[in-house]
Amino acid sequence: MSAIKPALITLILLPVIFLVGCDVDNQTGYLTGGVIQINGSATSEFFSNYVIEIGAGIDPQAWSDEGILLTNDGAAEVYEGILGTWNTSTVGDGNYTILITVTDVFGNFSQDRVFVTIDRTPPNITDVRVVNVTNCSAIIMWNTSEDANRSVNYGTSKDNISMTAPDLDDMALWDLIFGSFSKEHTVYLDLEPSTTYYFEVVSRDFVGHTAVDNNSGEFYNFTTLETVFQHAPQPPRRGGGGGGGRT
């Protein structure tokens, strides 16, 4: 009786993919447009090729490779290097998903994706207003079209807008109270009584696009109230009168 030969087991390993990401600003996932470098790894024991595609939103229903330029046309493995570039001039501002697919010679494939936001536009500032003006303070409020930070440049004349609030020492406290990036902005000013102040508002988004609203160069203005001193009330006078003795 002949010995039974062991079966031949073929182990097919799936392609290994590691998409590190893009050269995003401040690691926020925000891109300023232009040509974006896509970094990562695309390897397999039986490597065939890889492709990169772009889809709109976080759950794309369609994919495109328009604007994509692959390193070595995607025909060679990449390990912790440049997978390709994406010319974002082919798309508008918004949220996008970058999808990479690595395939081996047996048709097995693996995929990974990264989510990014393209933002080429500064915030749009609207509804600048002054509220709660007192003899020593005022609150400046405004809205922006996207999440952004806030500051107010102000002074006692249009030619002397030299003060800024909140200053760097106060920023951490303000961020704790109001949040560092928002669409609704509030800044408190510590002021002198009976003084006219001129101001402009400034907001900068995640990418660094800065918007300034200075009322078309005329600057916004308001005047603080005067300090009114009230005299303490005087005690009532006691009535006097002569007394007569018995006659």
Side-chain angles (χ1 to χ4, degrees), residues 102-120:
V102 182
T103 306
D104 66 17
V105 296
F106 300 104
N108 301 299
F109 66 91
S110 289
Q111 294 180 319
D112 199 6
R113 61 187 65 194
V114 64
F115 306 107
V116 297
T117 298
I118 296 178
D119 184 355
R120 309 178 183 92

Side-chain angles (χ1 to χ4, degrees), residues 200-220:
E200 63 184 7
V201 299
V202 183
S203 284
R204 186 176 65 251
D205 64 18
F206 285 111
V207 182
H209 300 307
T210 301
V212 179
D213 186 347
N214 57 16
N215 196 23
S216 301
E218 293 298 316
F219 296 93
Y220 298 95

Side-chain angles (χ1 to χ4, degrees), residues 3-247:
I4 299 176
K5 295 182 179 180
L8 179 61
I9 300 176
T10 302
L11 179 63
I12 301 177
L13 300 178
L14 290 176
V16 176
I17 177 173
F18 177 51
L19 185 56
V20 176
C22 307
D23 49 349
V24 297
D25 294 82
N26 301 322
Q27 303 301 313
T28 60
Y30 279 72
L31 308 173
T32 56
V35 178
I36 305 303
Q37 181 174 294
I38 302 172
N39 307 314
S41 298
T43 63
S44 173
E45 183 178 358
F46 305 103
F47 178 86
S48 174
N49 70 293
Y50 69 87
V51 295
I52 297 176
E53 298 170 295
I54 307 299
I58 60 174
D59 186 21
Q61 302 303 305
W63 300 93
S64 171
D65 62 357
E66 185 178 5
I68 295 293
L69 180 62
L70 300 176
T71 302
N72 296 320
D73 294 325
E77 294 179 285
V78 175
Y79 180 71
E80 294 185 357
I82 301 173
L83 294 164
T85 58
W86 175 26
N87 186 344
T88 62
S89 64
T90 61
V91 299
D93 287 7
N95 299 317
Y96 292 91
T97 301
I98 301 174
L99 173 70
I100 179 171
T101 304
V102 182
T103 306
D104 66 17
V105 296
F106 300 104
N108 301 299
F109 66 91
S110 289
Q111 294 180 319
D112 199 6
R113 61 187 65 194
V114 64
F115 306 107
V116 297
T117 298
I118 296 178
D119 184 355
R120 309 178 183 92
T121 309
N124 182 39
I125 296 174
T126 58
D127 198 19
V128 178
R129 56 206 185 275
V130 185
V131 299
N132 295 351
V133 179
T134 71
N135 64 320
C136 61
S137 66
I139 295 176
I140 312 299
M141 305 178 72
W142 68 96
N143 300 330
T144 51
S145 57
E146 61 177 307
D147 287 338
N149 63 12
R150 74 261 164 253
S151 63
V152 174
N153 299 325
Y154 65 104
T156 54
S157 74
K158 296 179 182 179
D159 299 324
N160 184 30
I161 309 296
S162 59
M163 295 177 283
T164 299
D167 61 30
L168 293 179
D169 292 335
D170 295 333
M171 187 65 76
L173 177 60
W174 277 90
D175 288 349
L176 179 63
I177 298 173
F178 296 109
S180 57
F181 286 85
S182 175
K183 294 184 178 69
E184 299 178 351
H185 308 280
T186 302
V187 173
Y188 175 88
L189 302 182
D190 188 9
L191 307 169
E192 296 295 326
S194 303
T195 304
T196 297
Y197 288 91
Y198 298 84
F199 71 93
E200 63 184 7
V201 299
V202 183
S203 284
R204 186 176 65 251
D205 64 18
F206 285 111
V207 182
H209 300 307
T210 301
V212 179
D213 186 347
N214 57 16
N215 196 23
S216 301
E218 293 298 316
F219 296 93
Y220 298 95
N221 69 85
F222 62 93
T223 301
T224 53
L225 305 179
E226 64 177 323
T227 301
V228 177
F229 297 98
Q230 295 183 343
H231 296 287
Q234 297 295 320
R237 295 181 178 179
R238 294 182 178 179
R246 290 183 180 180
T247 58

